[in-house]
Amino acid sequence: MESSLFLQLKDKVPTGLQLALKKKLENTSNDKIEAISMLQLKDPIIGLILSILLGGLGIDRFYQGKILLGILKLITFGGLGIWAIIDWFLIMPSIKKDNFEKIEHFL
């Protein structure tokens, strides 16, 4: 069960932390694994798509759950476009890190 859960989570956590996650899942009880499988994790690909299409309006940050940054990005029109472009490169690693922290909270 741990290996199938790991395969589901693999693309939603940072590459550098995947091995650590796999080891932690191997030593985790079935109750915790079941709880982790029920988590609502954000998809980094959707975050990137939102960033490219609607990043100037802060929609990518709202999706990530960072409401204050989303509002700030919205009222500055994505930092006049500069912040929006920078987020094209930062949003996926940021969402993956948030997902890993959420999983680690249950471990």
Side-chain angles (χ1 to χ4, degrees):
M1 184 167 184
E2 300 90 21
S3 61
S4 65
L5 178 60
F6 175 73
L7 291 175
Q8 291 174 350
L9 299 175
K10 188 174 91 162
D11 296 331
K12 294 186 179 186
V13 297
T15 306
L17 297 173
Q18 288 177 0
L19 185 59
L21 176 63
K22 186 174 184 179
K23 287 182 181 181
K24 286 182 180 184
L25 287 175
E26 289 172 355
N27 299 322
T28 303
S29 68
N30 286 337
D31 293 340
K32 286 185 178 182
I33 288 177
E34 197 171 306
I36 292 169
S37 68
M38 299 290 185
L39 284 176
Q40 297 292 322
L41 300 176
K42 305 291 183 187
D43 189 339
I45 300 294
I46 292 176
L48 177 62
I49 292 168
L50 290 172
S51 186
I52 292 169
L53 298 177
L54 301 168
L57 301 175
I59 304 300
D60 53 344
R61 292 299 181 158
F62 287 117
Y63 173 73
Q64 188 178 7
K66 297 186 176 181
I67 305 302
L68 188 59
L69 285 177
I71 293 170
L72 188 60
K73 200 171 174 184
L74 175 66
I75 61 176
T76 63
F77 299 105
L80 298 176
I82 296 169
W83 186 2
I85 292 170
I86 291 171
D87 266 353
W88 294 349
F89 303 97
L90 299 180
I91 197 73
M92 282 183 64
S94 181
I95 289 174
K96 287 181 176 186
K97 181 178 158 264
D98 291 347
N99 285 340
F100 182 78
E101 289 172 357
K102 193 182 285 189
I103 293 167
E104 199 171 48
H105 176 73
F106 280 90
L107 295 175

